Structure formats: structure tokens, C-alpha cells
Amino acid sequence: MTAQEIRQSFLDFMAQKGHQVVPSAPMVIKDDPTLMFTNAGMNPWKGIILGNDPIKYPRVADSQKCLRVSGKHNDLEEVGHDTYHHTMFEMLGNWSFGDYFKEGAIDFAWEYIVDVLKIDPKNLYATVFEGSKEEGLGRDDEAAAVWAKHLPADHILNGNKHDNFWEMGDTGPCGPCSEIHVDSRSEEEKAKVPGRELVNKDHPQVIEIWNIVFMQFNRKADGSLEPLAKKVIDTGMGFERLVRTIQGKQSNYDTDVFQPMLAKIGELCNCKYGVEEKTDVAMRVIADHIRTIAFAITDGQLPSNEKAGYVIRRILRRAVRYGYTFLGMREAFLYKLVPQLIADMGVAYPELVKQQAQITPVIKSEEEAFLRTLDKGITLLDKLMADARNAKKTEISGVDVFTLKDTYGFPLDLTELILRENGFTTNEEEYNKALEHQKSMGREANKQDLGDWNVVREGDTEFVGYDELEVETQILRYRQVSQKGKSFYQVVLSKTPFYAEMGGEVGDTGKLSVESLEFRVIDTKRENGLPVHIMTELPENVEATFVAKVDAERRQAISCNHSATHIIHYALRQVLGEHVEQKGSFVSPESLRFDFSHFQKVSPEELRKVEQLANQLIRQDLHLEESRHTPIAKAKEMGAMALFGEKYGDDVRVIKYGPSIELCGGCHVSSTGRIGSVRIIMETSVAAGIRRIEAVTAAKADELYYGAQDMLNGLKTLFNNAPDLMAAIHKFIDENAGLKKQIENFMAEKIERYRDDLIGRAEDFGDIKLVRLTGEHNPEMIRGVMPLLRGKFTDVKFAVVAATQFEGKPTIAVFLSQPLVDEGKNAGAMIKSAAKLIQGGGGGQPWMATAGGRDVNGLNAAMEELVKML
Ligand code: ATP
Ligand code: MG
């Protein structure tokens, strides 16, 4: 079976067993503060598992794009070096929400891999949780009994808490799990060491392929476990590992998932897979990372300097670096792999095909920027090594190495390699100290202490904020959170008019009130799909009935900006073309920001057109046509613009103003006229092929206009209310330039007179014409005259030594004509030695030098010293 067929067979099998098959959710997570990327098939189901979202289908199955490069699950360092961990991989999974449990899950898994895929049971091992004294839990005999139906006793192994008790995070749903391991060694090896001894021992041929998690507990903040009301089955099978097993290979990279890509890399980099281990590692790294990079960009996460964007940037750089160091790639090449990736994965993930024009230039420009970094880093490193050599040292400071990595982004292992090759070492202790210091600063900044939820009453939360800004409500639950020394409360309400931050729109603020008491809601966030109100103070009587009220003015400003974002999006597509696609947006009460794909700067004329078209649509006062529950297929048929990489349910909300139709969950004005007007205030680039527009609306647009008007009025006043202001300013500029020129002429004349005056004072000093200058002189004049003297005395020995003062400050200066310099005299050296006498410092060139000082009493001595040296 091909990889493609295997993926399909899993989904078909699960469908036949009554599972609803759903598409993969995006790999990039935008509205969960605890996760940047999907790292397991269960992530998209967190809301249901936690009981926040309703169960729509009790059985679902999918193939989910996962990424394990940060946080709790981080396999990055393994990738490339081993043959079965990837950064991005596909996880095949099936779920039961309160439906079948242990027996059903194990039976399905068995039937699929043994009856359907025909994996030989003698190569299979299952693990069960052995129990844990500290948790007060016994062995998972229930799971073991089910396994005993299928496997002999010596193929059922006990596993410890580390391997066989799965937890989503520090708190939340968790439970024991059973893993299925496959032994794919040769018969000869199996005879020598039985597979059961190699399970969970990091043996590359005895690997875990499927994990079946039985979620039956909820972990509370104090560490204790309580039983879960609705038990959940959560399974995850590594697709690439399964393919390798079915195709009888020893490595994931030997399957048709990776072989075409490895061949392409070989062709581009002029190397061959399977010849040398070092090259193989690099080729595996690249074959793996290109998937992560391309899928991340497709899902809307561009490489950048912070958070999730930085994770992607680091992965891209890791690929470039392996190419650079082990395959000799000095030029950008990753972007050339995109067509191959699309050929391999485009059918299963059509979003990749649609985003090709975006992915390629982003990767290319990132690669080129990093190659420049590498060049710069090597230059810096060369200098560090040269300095060390001069100082007769063989150790480079750990702090310098850290700076190279941290400030310049130069990879540590490359630094180490180059140092080693050149016979240098670095001080690891210093390095670790610098690293630890930085880390602890980061930890402090991010530390968050979550308390347990205090349940006031059971029930579901309902959002009514599209229609109402004020509503009677009750507290369902609350908890205390402390972060950065501050403590606040998260509160969940039975009914809420507060919009929780999502889709780039900031959360609402407002208050809860009961009788004469008021409590501020300072922000509203979404956590696993649940609107959570952030409050600094909690009412004493949490059981009271409150009035929840949104800050209406602020909400109106936000709505104006959000609706204007849609209008601008539409206008951009009209003016620039259909290739314009939303890449990000941020909507606050102050302004709106909209990122979109476009491959060059938007010209001022185009911007003006966009703004004009947008304002026309605003003045048409188009009414909001909102439909909250449109089937997604129908919405797309209507021409609604949807975001790539966004997670949508089956039913979507459609927001329509005349020709602008979008899928959107945000807050909007009832008709476009309420926006008043929109003004674009900035257009910039955010990444290769992506532009950003910032704009203001309504009162802020008025303020912008008033600001400009006030400035204009101010200018008019400055120019005596000239009827033609532009002409007046031009005249002023011209006059100013004329005056400047005149002053320059005067200065030149003055310095020329000064020069002639100096020449007149020259006396014979041996064969030198010498001017000794004392008393009050402007040092500016002395410095200014020297080049003129230089031009005049090209073949006469002429010198000036000055020990003068100006406004109470001493200055010394020396001028030497060229013949004196040729003799070996040096003005700079003379000044250096005489400057001490006036408590000063300075220097210059062999033909002229000056120094300022603090002690005018030293001037005589300085003069003597200068003359003596001359
Ligand atoms: P391992 O111990 O091999 O790292 P795991 O215990 O981290 O695996 P789970 O978190 O249980 O794995 O994930 C479920 C399945 O996903 C695993 O059985 C495996 O087949 C697959 N898997 C996990 N991590 C990776 C990875 N980095 N690359 C490819 N497949 C993976
Ligand atoms: Mg793992």
C-alpha cells in the first residue's frame, strides 16, 4: 500500500465503525494561550474534553497535522539523527466522547492493524499502566484484560507513569494509556533478544506506533485526581511510523513519504542518500523541516522574531545550517523544494497547493537573510579568534560565544565546530551562566500560577454580545491567577455580552454590578473556547445575580474598525487584484491593522484608490446582513472569503456588507455609515510578499484630520497667513540656501585672511618657517586654516605650533607641511605628549593634530614641549 492508501484506509475503517471523519485542524494555534502548535490529535478536541463545548458527534476520527518542537513535547534535537521522530507529522486518531471506552478502543485498534493491515501479531507488544503508589492508583487491569483477548501474556507489558499515564498539561484531563509497539528487527536478532526487552528502550527498530489514552481523571491544581464525568478515548497513531511498518522498512525516511523528497534534495545539493551518515542526517533534517516550514506558513504562521514565528524561523535556520555545514550549500535552496513537497502532499492537503505563491518567496527571503547572518557571524568569529591569537590564548570567552548566538543568531554548534577546527575552546561555564541568566529572566516574565476553578453553579455559558451589551447574569465559576507578582481573577458567566479576544479582535471591557457595587472587567479572553472575564477584584457574594455591562463606546469603536477591515479587504482586492488574501489582522478601539499577500509596495495612488473605494462603500450605508448558522459549503458558494489555516465548524457566521462577504466571528456595526470614514495611515512590509496597512476610522479619523488641519493652520500663522503657503515655504527654503552659501563664503574669506595673518607671523626656526601662536584664538579657526596651509606649503618647511585659549579652555595644535612630515616628524605624536601638560587628550594625523584640555596654566609648558619636539 502507498502512504496515500494507508491514510485513506484508516479513515475508511473508522468511518465504517461509526466515526465522523473530519479534516485536520490547522497546525498553528491562534487562540489558546497554553499552546502555539497542535502537538497531538486531541488538541482540537480540548474544548469538548474539558466539557466547555457540546458533543456534536460522540465518535470522530481524523488525520491531524502535528508539530512537536516546543513546550511539553519537543523532539527537535532528535529529528534527522534518528529515523522515527519528525518535527511535523501526521497523527491518525479516533475519539470517543462518553461513548465506547477501553474495550471498544483496543478492539478497534486491533482489528485495524491486524485484520485490515495484516501486521503480524507476533511482532506486536502492548503496554498497560502498572499503577502508582503516590497517585493511589492500581494497575490498569481492565485494559490488560482486553489485551489478553488478543495477545499472549508475554506480549503485554507493564509501563510506568512516565510512559503510560498521559496528561494534557499540569492540570486538566488525564488518565492511563496503552501503547502499541512494533518489533521490526530481523528474525535473527529477534531470536537473540526478545522484543519485550526492547520496548520503550529507544531501540530504533522497536518503536511505539499507537497510543490509546483512557481519559478518566481530572488533575487539579493541588495535584489531586478526581474522576471525569464523561470518560474519553483519545488515540494517536504516528502515520509515518505506520507506513514504514506496512512497507517493511527500517526507517520512516525509506518510505514513499520521504523518498521522492530525498531524491530531490540529492539532485539539488549534489549528494546521495545512504552513502555517508553525516550527509544522511543533513538530508533527513532538510526533508523533515521543509514540511514544517511550508505547512506553518500555509496555516498562517510566518517566520518572525517572536513566539511561534521564532520557533518556525529556528527550524528553517536549522535546515539551512545543516545544508551549509554538511552539504556545502552556500545559497538559498530550500524554497526550490516546495514543488516536490506539493507533488508529495498536495492531494491530501490542498491548502498547500493554493498557498504555493506565498510559501516560496517567504522561504527564499528567510534563507537569504540567514545566509547573510552566517557570513557576518563567521567574520565576527574570525575576529574573536584573531584577538585571542594575539593575546596568546586558546580559549574564547563563553560570553562572546553566547552573544554570537543570542544577539547575532549565529548557531552555537557551528561556532563550536569552527572553534574546534581552529584549535580553540570556549569556556562552557561562562556560556551556561549567560544562558541561565537569560532563561531565568524569561521564566520570571512568563510565570503564571493557576488556581483551581471554584464552581459556583453548574451550567453552560452563553454569548449574547452580538445583540446585547447589557444582561443579567450569574457567575458559574472563577479562579485566581497570579502572574508577574500581580494577581487577578478569571470569571466564567452564565450569560455574557463580553466578546472574548479572537480572530485579531481585542476582548471587551466593562463591569459587573450588583446593587450599588461595581466590579471592573479589564479584559475578556478565550480559553479552550470558553469566554473568561479578567477581573482584578471579586465580589464578596459570588452567588448574587449581576448586571454585566460592556463599555459601549469602546465596543462601538472596535466594531467600526472591524467592519472597516472587511471593507478595506474588499477594496484591496478590487484595486490590487484577487491575489490579495488576508494574512493577519488586529482590531482595537484605536485602529485596525491588516496584513495581506501582495508582492510589491502599494503605491500612494493605489492606496488613495483603496481609501476612496472604502469610503464610498461606507457612505452607501450598506446594511449588515448577518447569518449566524450557515453551512460552510453554502457560505463558500456565496463567495465568502475564508481564512486559510482557520478552524471553522460545520456552521459558520457570515458577515455581508453589499459586495463584501466574509466568514467572521467578530463584532460589527449595523450599517457601514456608522464607520463615518476610514483613513489609511501607514503601509509597510511585514515579510516577503506580505504588506501591512494600518488605518483609523470614526472619531480617530476625525482626530487625524484635525491634527493635519491644526498643523496647517500653525504653518500659515508662521508664514504670516501667506495666501499661497507652498510658494511661501519654497521661497523661504531658497532664501535660506542663499544665506547659507553667503555665510560659507564669508567664512572662507575670513579663514583666508587668518591664514595670511599667520603666515605674516612666521619666524625662522632653523630651516623651518615657524609660527608660535599664543593668547586668545578660536580653535575652530585654527582647525579650519590648516588644510589651507597644507595646500599652500607643499614644498616649504612650514609649521604652526599653537598653545592658545578660548573662553577659558586651553587648546594646543600643531600643523606640519608635507616636507616636515616626509622627514619623519609627526604632529599627532607631538600633541599626544604635550596634551598631558594641559590635562587633556587628543590626537590627529602626522600633518595636523589638536587637543583640548582643562588646565590653562599648563599652556606655557606645552608650548615649550611642542617647540622642543619640533
Ligand atoms: P515516542 O516515545 O516515540 O516519542 P510519544 O510517547 O511521544 O512517542 P505520543 O505522545 O503517545 O508519542 O503520540 C502518539 C503517537 O504519535 C506515537 O505513538 C507515535 O507513533 C507518534 N509520534 C509521536 N511523536 C512523534 C514524532 N516526533 N514524529 C513522528 N511520530 C510521532
Ligand atoms: Mg515523544
Side-chain angles (χ1 to χ4, degrees), residues 194-207:
R196 53 176 293 131
E197 285 171 25
L198 298 173
V199 166
N200 272 333
K201 295 282 172 354
D202 291 333
H203 190 289
Q205 305 306 337
V206 184
I207 58 170

Side-chain angles (χ1 to χ4, degrees), residues 28 47 64 149 162 298 352 362 416 429 449 461 488 500 523 526 536 550 581 613 623 701 713 774 777:
V28 175
Q64 172 65 45
K149 294 198 303 188
H162 173 74
T298 298
L352 211 50
V362 170
E416 287 173 341
E429 207 174 303
D449 269 333
T461 182
F488 51 89
D523 199 357
R526 200 169 298 261
T536 46
V550 171
E581 240 172 45
L613 178 54
H623 279 264
N713 289 340
T774 53
H777 284 266

Side-chain angles (χ1 to χ4, degrees), residues 39-40 68 73 75 79 84-91 163 166 177 179-180 200 202 207-213 235-242 252:
N39 63 15
R68 293 197 168 179
H73 291 286
D75 294 335
V79 175
Y84 59 108
H85 281 96
H86 303 295
T87 52
M88 181 204 147
F89 62 99
E90 294 174 70
M91 202 187 276
D163 287 320
W166 201 91
C177 63
E179 308 155 335
I180 302 177
N200 272 333
D202 291 333
I207 58 170
E208 175 190 332
I209 59 164
W210 203 342
N211 193 0
I212 302 168
V213 183
T235 89
M237 173 157 54
F239 171 64
E240 297 77 4
R241 294 186 189 182
L242 177 67
N252 291 12

